[in-house]
Amino acid sequence: MQPRSSVAPTGSKLAALTLGAVGVVYGDIGTSPLYALKEIFAHGRLPLTPDNIFGILSLVFWTMTIIVSLKYVLLILRADNHGEGGLIAMLALASQAVREKPELRRRLLVLGIFGTAIFFGDGVITPAISVLSAVEGLEVAAPGLHDFIVPVTLLVLTLLFAAQRFGTGGIGKFFGPVTVLWFAVLVLLGIGHIARNPAVLAALSPHHALLFIWANPGTAFFALGALILCVTGAEALYADLGHFGKKPIRLAWFGLVWPALTINYFGQGAMLLARPETVKNPFYEMAPAWALFPLIGLATAATVIASQALITAAFSVTKQAIQLGYLPRLRISHTSVRETGQIYVPFVNWSLYGCIVLAVVAFGSSSALASAYGLAVTIDMLITTTMTFFVIRYGWKYPWALCLAATGFFFVVDALFLAANAIKLFEGGWFPLAIGAVMFLLMMTWKQGRGLMGARLREDAIDLPSFLESVFVSPPHRVAGTAVFLASEQGSTPNALLHNLKHNKVLHAQNLFVTVRHHEVPWVPFSKRCELQSLGRCCWQVTLNFGFKNEPDVPQALGLLRSRGVLLDDMETSYFLSRDIVIPTLGSGMAMWREKLFASMHRNAAAAADFLSLPANRVVELGSKLEI
């Protein structure tokens, strides 16, 4: 897969991308009116007075303005990594920017991986709270249906995750139109109530937010913990940059999403001013009785689309983390013959599903889940702001004062939201943090374990040119065909070659010693895919370069060598791999339990042949033991 064109789209292409961005990028934030305002006034913590309603509406509007419009849409989207976005792309940018400061680079890498791990915790809470809040409309339509809310939610989620293996190619084209319809309904629901009480529009002025904070500093601080709900999915703006581009994402936000959300929130506020008793579920109370069941159906469809976008993002982040060496190889299926970015990762799919089911059953309602939401996402927001500083300071070489001004304000805002949400740690905030902590442990254990393996392999390594020179002093029998030996370290003799010579006592007519490297850039073009060095006697050292969004297809990459005089006949080419068995030992490596964990992860990792797209009928694996 190659990157999206850097040429700014126009005309029908721009319209199509903008429509797609509405469906994929803004699904999460688009469904936040289902629960955000309800949770801010929940539990009677904040009296429903006109001043409080005006203050909260103003805070909602300016929270969206500062965090989404200014921070993400205008600033963060500028930090693209060759057209790609997301925390891993930002991590790669930041680590490259400070590559001459190794200690700082190491700390940023750890920080970025922690943020990536926390993303998985957020990925559990968001679908659970979104679908639950949509289905809770049943209770408004018919109070007797309360006991069916959790079972119906679980049924919807089960169908969603079961359908992942089929891909979204067939139904994906409906995501944009359905979500546009959803935003149109948000406008229709809100505008009628605003028309009855247009004075509510005065809350657009920031002075109402400032007066509310001045009069109720403690209450306002606690309110920040619920206010974060109105910007759920803001990180998706940056993560989906590579799919849609800056212009479509910005057009969708300023042209439809932001106005629709504002109108709906203000419509809810106008209704609360007139009918405070509707606070239990203001979103559904806005609708006339005859429209409730169709609205519940549309809301459920919108939350399913929002959840689908997050599941797809989880697959993509997992694949990128694997290629950067922070997770073991997992079985990845491609669900489209045309779009290589459409993938299905069974382990991630069902792990997410299990955690989401646990969250729905354990918390039981969107209000309870709201207590769990916020802490993980605000940590990610703070990490993104921190990374942005290092990108614009050291990567773009902007002056210190400008960098501090550009990110300092957002850092303070993010820190305030984080502090307010930290209060919810024991009310449920621990749940996504626990998932993130487990993921962080697994990712760091895998990375450090691979480092220990590499160090041990280098200790025992035999220099390849010297070894070949000694072999050809008394050369073994040469057989027809090509042997491709995969080696993790360039210039070292692959164990598979040693075992092949020891047991088979032959050498192929043509031998390629291939090292696959994954770089901290999204894409490596075909022109830079292969590096070739002749070792004499029809032997070559080959280095294949891939970005973290490239498909690591080794046979396809080796086919590029044809133009450089190295011809490979597919039917006469064999691929030799070494399958190392890790043996944990006491020593200066990791703690024994972590070495055992790494050994288990290594043993259960998917086959390297599948990950590298090697033909199954032409792969030879030779095992060896490796103590770490």
Side-chain angles (χ1 to χ4, degrees), residues 91-361:
L91 168 62
L93 274 178
S95 65
Q96 290 172 29
V98 298
R99 58 185 176 274
E100 296 177 359
K101 301 176 183 290
E103 183 60 26
L104 177 59
R105 182 177 184 273
R106 185 186 66 80
R107 292 180 180 180
L108 284 179
L109 284 170
V110 172
L111 183 65
I113 293 304
F114 179 69
T116 303
I118 289 294
F119 163 81
F120 289 96
D122 179 44
V124 169
I125 296 297
T126 302
I129 191 174
S130 297
V131 178
L132 252 180
S133 62
V135 178
E136 282 172 348
L138 291 173
E139 190 174 19
V140 178
L145 296 176
H146 171 79
D147 292 341
F148 291 92
I149 291 174
V150 169
V152 170
T153 299
L154 293 178
L155 175 62
V156 170
L157 288 169
T158 300
L159 292 174
L160 172 63
F161 280 89
Q164 292 306 309
R165 64 192 181 96
F166 301 109
T168 59
I171 62 172
K173 59 179 175 289
F174 297 109
F175 286 2
V178 170
T179 312
V180 167
L181 175 61
W182 169 252
F183 283 116
V185 170
L186 291 186
V187 172
L188 289 174
L189 289 174
I191 205 162
H193 290 278
I194 292 173
R196 297 187 194 104
N197 191 356
V200 75
L201 294 175
L204 291 170
S205 170
H207 85 275
H208 284 287
L210 296 174
L211 286 174
F212 175 77
I213 295 170
W214 179 263
N216 313 277
T219 304
F221 180 73
F222 282 101
L224 291 180
L227 269 171
I228 196 66
L229 292 168
C230 72
V231 290
T232 57
E235 285 281 331
L237 286 168
Y238 183 45
D240 287 310
L241 175 60
H243 294 112
F244 301 101
K246 300 171 189 176
K247 192 172 182 179
I249 290 175
R250 286 170 174 162
L251 273 177
W253 173 251
F254 289 115
L256 175 62
V257 180
W258 192 23
L261 291 174
T262 301
I263 290 170
N264 192 267
Y265 281 124
F266 276 64
Q268 291 185 44
M271 183 186 66
L272 289 175
L273 285 170
R275 296 163 52 206
E277 69 276 8
T278 59
V279 71
K280 186 176 180 181
N281 201 322
F283 177 81
Y284 282 114
E285 293 285 357
M286 296 173 74
W290 61 266
L292 275 175
F293 283 106
L295 182 59
I296 292 168
L298 179 60
T300 302
T303 55
V304 165
I305 290 171
S307 300
Q308 176 61 62
L310 193 143
I311 294 167
T312 303
F315 293 162
S316 179
V317 167
T318 299
K319 178 174 176 287
Q320 293 173 23
I322 291 171
Q323 294 189 196
L324 286 176
Y326 284 97
L327 283 175
R329 294 182 302 272
L330 297 173
R331 186 166 68 86
I332 297 175
S333 302
H334 291 269
T335 58
S336 172
V337 296
R338 292 184 301 174
E339 297 291 336
T340 57
Q342 290 188 19
I343 59 174
Y344 168 61
V345 188
F347 180 80
V348 174
N349 185 68
W350 294 113
S351 297
L352 269 180
Y353 171 74
C355 291
I356 290 171
V357 168
L358 179 62
V360 171
V361 173

Side-chain angles (χ1 to χ4, degrees), residues 6 8 61 99 138 163-164 186 212-213 299 304 335 394 407 438 440 444 465 585 618:
S6 59
F61 176 75
R99 58 185 176 274
L138 291 173
Q164 292 306 309
L186 291 186
F212 175 77
I213 295 170
V304 165
T335 58
Y394 295 101
T407 60
V438 170
F440 181 67
M444 294 309 296
T585 57
R618 296 199 299 277

